[in-house]
Amino acid sequence: MPEETKSGCCCPGVEGNEGSATEKRLGWQEYFMSVAHLISRRATCTRGHIGAVIVRENSILSTGYNGAPSGLPHCNESNCRIYRSIHPDGTVEENCVNTIHAEINAIAQAAKHGVSIKDSDIYITASPCIHCLKVLINVGIKTIYYDKPYKIEHIAELLRLSGIRLVQVNVQSDQRG
């Protein structure tokens, strides 16, 4: 049986292609933030879907999303257990007892598989809470890229003291997973 051959390629700007010369290749920041948004779709928390990607030298080291610990029941309307804490400035923070945040899950996955994340960066669909930021400081994250701000005023001082960079990266909704 003769093989069917096809001339041309799918690369934009090359004769015989199927792509468009106007398609824009994603930059690294948009690429990793889009991956974080795709990963957030696995989240099991009913209050919010957050995704995280830990990266070093443009390679993905680990990913995580928010939800219950492995093998434990996921949250739903009847078992989402909220606790409240009060910040020194008087604002109230609400968190679910059952949920592990995306950043912590990404760190845990790296540890589970023996992957060093020291001197890496993290892409998160929302800026980290103060608790996650403290852990990110301790594991040696250098830059935090985020899409949507989340109570940034609570983490500003820790960012300043730690020297970790916080960079907002917005991605178009059609670039999200």
Side-chain angles (χ1 to χ4, degrees):
M1 179 188 275
E3 288 185 35
E4 183 178 330
T5 59
K6 184 176 180 182
S7 63
C9 72
C10 63
C11 300
V14 177
E15 188 176 334
N17 69 6
E18 295 176 7
S20 165
T22 60
E23 288 182 38
K24 181 181 177 268
R25 184 176 184 202
L26 289 176
W28 287 114
Q29 290 181 355
E30 293 82 11
Y31 169 70
F32 291 125
M33 189 58 73
S34 296
V35 171
H37 277 284
L38 179 63
I39 289 172
S40 75
R41 293 170 61 184
R42 290 276 307 151
T44 61
C45 178
T46 57
R47 299 178 72 220
H49 288 221
I50 306 296
V53 180
I54 299 176
V55 174
R56 186 172 49 238
E57 298 175 5
N58 294 333
S59 292
I60 294 174
L61 302 176
S62 183
T63 65
Y65 51 85
N66 56 331
S70 296
L72 298 183
H74 300 301
C75 284
N76 57 38
E77 288 85 30
S78 64
N79 75 344
C80 186
R81 300 182 353 218
I82 303 300
Y83 69 92
R84 290 177 175 83
S85 57
I86 301 173
H87 283 270
D89 68 3
T91 59
V92 176
E93 177 85 22
E94 291 186 344
N95 288 287
C96 177
V97 173
N98 299 332
T99 297
I100 300 173
H101 290 185
E103 303 92 309
I104 304 300
N105 269 328
I107 292 165
Q109 283 300 307
K112 181 177 180 179
H113 297 287
V115 176
S116 172
I117 57 173
K118 184 178 183 223
D119 297 328
S120 58
D121 300 326
I122 190 166
Y123 290 79
I124 316 166
T125 57
S127 59
C129 72
I130 194 165
H131 306 293
C132 288
L133 176 58
K134 291 184 280 187
V135 176
L136 293 172
I137 291 167
N138 275 4
V139 300
I141 295 293
K142 296 296 180 195
T143 304
I144 299 168
Y145 297 94
Y146 72 98
D147 189 356
K148 303 293 181 205
Y150 174 78
K151 299 185 180 182
I152 291 181
E153 64 278 3
H154 292 159
I155 63 173
E157 182 67 6
L158 278 178
L159 287 167
R160 186 185 68 75
L161 292 170
S162 68
I164 291 180
R165 291 181 348 138
L166 183 68
V167 178
Q168 188 169 24
V169 175
N170 293 118
V171 292
Q172 301 297 329
S173 60
D174 62 339
Q175 292 176 336
R176 294 179 188 174

